Amino acid sequence: MSTSLDTVLAHLDSTHESQMQRLFDLLRIPSVSTDSDHDADVLTAAELCARYLTESGFKAAVRETTGHPMVVGHVDGPPNAPHILYYGHYDVQPPDPLELWDAPPFEPVLRAGANGEQIVARGAADDKGQLMMFLEALRAWNDVGGGIPIRATVLLEGEEESGSPSLDPFLEANADELRPDVCIVSDTGMWNPSTPAITTMLRGMVYLDVTLHGPSHDLHSGMFGGAVVNPLNELAKILGGLHDASGRVTIDGFYDGVQNPSDAQLTEWNNLGFDASAFLAEAGLSSSTGEAGCSVLERIWSRPTLDINGITGGYGGEGAKTVIPAQANAKFSCRLVPGQDPAAIEAAIRRHLDQALPEGCTWSIVSHGCNPAIQVPTASPWLEAAQVGLEKIWNRRAVLVGCGGSIPVVGSFQTVLGADSLLIGFGLDDDRVHSPNEKFDVASYRGGTRSHAAVIASMAAMGRP
Ligand code: BES
Ligand code: ZN
């Protein structure tokens, strides 16, 4: 196997240019899942991914769902090979604000960066660059490694960035076809440019979109101001009251059940040598704010949050317009940690909003997703096999880390397929995911592709459990 792996690694090194072309072709497609104007683009991206899989020896198809399609591919591998389910998402976040990009978001470019060349485009790191790494590793095994040595299923989603509404029904309907021994999810980060990481915790999420309705139409603020309710004033007060002075969320029951990390886990995190100042500097900041008494790593990995993601209402155009708006809107999301029940949190927020409802107003509330925090078992032979593969490429063991972000599919794999996931990703904190000028380091891409190839070899060496 190690001779084959060496051949595969050499092939990956020598075919870098064609890999870049395939990645750039995918990055050129504006597959923004939240924006229905891009529905056709989302489908085009799915079709391209299916083609890449077919070229790599997979039986692959674009499969309909109630929303954007899934791409599913299978390769049988040798008898008794372990069955690995690879997951990535080919949809991307909206690129706005467009004017802050140095180059158009869907015209990928290479530019020089701190760790060498960078690929700059929406989706470069999240998640097209990451899914292309395992597709290319599988392609190389198929082309020069004597065939893919594992049973592999690839599942690529087109609506991860919009809360994965079609995912559970699709997994339920196709559970027997998809159920693997273990899943590999490539949508997270490394610890630093030379240290790989396996993520063992993800925060969950509740996302609400709330509109406070007042007068039946916009009013002249001189004719009516002072005598009628202003939904923007009221919404601002309610939102301003969602945290207390110590940074805690004021909603009744919000912290019910919150599990603190174990002492062993805290010690492990402390030993990582996290550089809080560098982390903050990347965000253009010099200090951290949040819950009193918590370290920065605890604040992003193991404490729940509530953040307002957008406020709209009234007049935002040029100059002044004296108006009392008929309505005001806020989008806000909570990151959840182990022990919190997403449905209970959503109910608690709705209760809080109802109690705070100003006289003369009504709420309309839309939910955009609700998923629990995830913990991945660390004492697993699959994780150890992944470690062996990663160590071969990086000459050091991967560190086990938490992640403040959310990847709903990991919970669904656990509950619907009964399968655990290995979260092996190669992003970096300075990738600007969800932000203008998103990038992915070419060094991360190369190391990640080689890593997936090596992990395939160590999984194959394990055989079926
Ligand atoms: N790739 C991210 C998750 C992530 C974020 C990993 C930060 C590592 C660091 C994923 O695509 C994402 O952004 N997920 C959304 C999920 C939400 C829309 C349900 C998130 O976390 O906001
Ligand atoms: Zn992602």
Side-chain angles (χ1 to χ4, degrees):
M1 186 63 67
S2 81
T3 325
S4 309
L5 175 59
D6 291 341
T7 309
V8 168
L9 294 177
H11 183 73
L12 284 171
D13 291 345
S14 67
T15 56
H16 179 71
E17 290 309 319
S18 47
Q19 293 171 45
M20 285 294 108
Q21 272 175 29
R22 285 189 285 270
L23 171 57
F24 276 39
D25 284 348
L26 185 59
L27 289 170
R28 278 191 200 98
I29 306 170
S31 47
V32 182
S33 59
T34 47
D35 180 350
S36 54
D37 285 351
H38 286 291
D39 284 359
D41 298 313
V42 175
L43 178 60
T44 305
E47 285 165 346
L48 182 60
C49 291
R51 197 176 90 208
Y52 289 163
L53 279 166
T54 308
E55 288 168 2
S56 308
F58 280 74
K59 277 196 218 92
V62 173
R63 306 262 290 259
E64 266 186 30
T65 70
T66 45
H68 294 299
M70 301 280 175
V71 180
V72 180
H74 296 288
V75 73
D76 288 341
N80 293 321
H83 183 192
I84 316 289
L85 171 59
Y86 285 87
Y87 168 90
H89 61 92
Y90 65 84
D91 65 321
V92 297
Q93 284 272 322
D96 348 22
L98 285 175
E99 64 280 11
L100 295 185
W101 285 79
D102 297 334
F106 298 107
E107 292 173 28
V109 288
L110 287 173
R111 70 164 186 215
N115 304 310
E117 276 190 318
Q118 304 175 335
I119 304 154
V120 183
R122 170 57 85 233
D126 187 10
D127 183 43
K128 289 172 173 172
Q130 300 234 33
L131 74 86
M132 284 306 287
M133 292 187 299
F134 62 73
L135 291 193
E136 292 293 349
L138 289 161
R139 181 191 287 263
W141 270 104
N142 181 63
D143 288 354
V144 301
I148 295 170
I150 52 171
R151 178 172 162 205
T153 295
V154 170
L155 172 68
L156 305 176
E157 189 188 359
E159 41 185 41
E160 195 269 355
E161 299 290 9
S162 38
S164 300
S166 314
L167 182 72
D168 281 7
F170 186 82
L171 293 182
E172 279 154 17
N174 299 286
D176 289 341
E177 173 192 340
L178 298 171
R179 187 175 296 110
D181 293 316
V182 71
C183 310
I184 292 186
V185 174
S186 200
D187 195 20
T188 50
M190 310 219 294
W191 176 243
N192 62 36
S194 53
T195 315
I198 299 177
T199 298
T200 60
M201 288 172 72
L202 289 167
R203 289 195 289 190
M205 175 175 284
V206 165
Y207 197 120
L208 291 176
D209 191 331
V210 305
T211 305
L212 188 61
H213 303 268
S216 60
H217 53 279
D218 288 1
L219 303 172
H220 188 292
S221 69
M223 285 172 73
F224 289 89
V228 299
V229 67
N230 178 332
L232 260 182
N233 291 3
E234 299 303 322
L235 183 64
K237 266 189 263 173
I238 293 167
L239 296 176
L242 289 175
H243 294 90
D244 69 17
S246 70
R248 281 173 69 90
V249 174
T250 53
I251 292 164
D252 253 1
F254 188 77
Y255 293 94
D256 286 359
V258 165
Q259 285 166 20
N260 292 321
S262 65
D263 288 347
Q265 192 144 46
L266 284 175
T267 310
E268 208 172 295
W269 293 355
N270 286 334
N271 289 341
L272 287 170
F274 178 65
D275 183 345
S277 319
F279 173 80
L280 292 165
E282 167 46 37
L285 296 169
S286 52
S287 61
S288 166
T289 40
E291 257 186 281
C294 300
S295 71
V296 176
L297 274 191
E298 286 171 75
R299 284 173 177 171
I300 55 176
W301 287 354
S302 64
R303 297 301 300 166
T305 63
L306 186 157
D307 272 300
I308 300 163
N309 303 118
I311 301 179
T312 48
Y315 183 67
E318 201 180 334
K321 180 183 179 194
T322 47
V323 69
I324 292 177
Q327 62 186 48
N329 169 272
K331 293 175 191 280
F332 61 87
S333 53
C334 297
R335 297 285 172 177
L336 308 183
V337 301
Q340 282 180 303
D341 172 5
I345 297 292
E346 182 175 328
I349 299 172
R350 285 175 183 266
R351 251 192 325 272
H352 183 97
L353 293 176
D354 282 342
Q355 280 160 11
L357 183 68
E359 201 184 321
C361 290
T362 54
W363 287 115
S364 56
I365 301 178
V366 178
S367 162
H368 295 300
C370 189
N371 54 80
I374 299 293
Q375 296 200 79
V376 177
T378 50
S380 131
W382 302 108
L383 191 140
E384 193 43 44
Q387 283 283 17
V388 170
L390 290 167
E391 192 168 359
K392 174 155 179 82
I393 302 303
W394 301 92
N395 297 317
R396 60 179 73 178
R397 278 176 76 80
V399 292
L400 304 185
V401 297
C403 171
S406 312
I407 308 178
V409 72
V410 179
S412 303
F413 285 159
Q414 271 177 354
T415 53
V416 185
L417 302 183
D420 285 323
S421 297
L422 293 168
L423 299 160
I424 306 175
F426 299 92
L428 291 169
D429 285 343
D430 67 354
D431 282 346
R432 303 204 168 198
V433 291
H434 295 200
S435 169
N437 298 318
E438 176 177 350
K439 64 86 175 162
F440 195 38
D441 285 3
V442 170
S444 301
Y445 171 85
R446 279 179 178 273
T449 310
R450 290 167 60 82
S451 299
H452 281 296
V455 170
I456 289 170
S458 45
M459 294 289 171
M462 278 186 63
R464 288 221 72 177

